[in-house]
Amino acid sequence: MRRPHPLPLLLTLVQGALSLATLWPGTASGQATTNVSVHDLAYRHVERLVAEGLIDTVHIGQRPYSRREVARLAGEAERNLPRLE
């Protein structure tokens, strides 16, 4: 007597598991952005860099900035340092 090939059964099991996985409630996860306190001196420095013309793209009045945004602004100012020469 010949035994059935296990591949069709395996494919059926995998398809069933994948279809059930879409019904399983997932949890949302992500990284929270840490904001810079509105009383931090970083805002004074950012305003100075904008006044010197080293930062072109900034949203004035939209505070608090995230730490990532402050780092982006600092990087932009550093790239634009040759403008002062």
Side-chain angles (χ1 to χ4, degrees):
M1 180 154 224
R2 190 172 174 192
R3 293 177 46 189
H5 197 274
L7 187 59
L9 176 63
L10 180 63
L11 288 175
T12 304
L13 289 175
V14 168
Q15 287 175 341
L18 289 175
S19 63
L20 287 176
T22 61
L23 300 175
W24 191 267
T27 57
S29 63
Q31 296 177 348
T33 57
T34 305
N35 291 334
V36 177
S37 170
V38 293
H39 303 293
D40 199 299
L41 289 176
Y43 294 105
R44 184 180 296 173
H45 297 300
V46 167
E47 290 171 0
R48 178 68 188 266
L49 292 170
V50 170
E52 293 292 330
L54 294 175
I55 296 177
D56 298 323
T57 56
V58 66
H59 300 285
I60 300 293
Q62 190 175 18
R63 294 182 182 178
Y65 292 151
S66 67
R67 291 177 71 186
R68 180 181 297 165
E69 178 67 10
V70 171
R72 185 193 70 78
L73 294 171
E76 182 178 344
E78 185 177 16
R79 284 188 304 276
N80 293 332
L81 271 175
R83 290 182 184 177
L84 295 179
E85 295 174 355

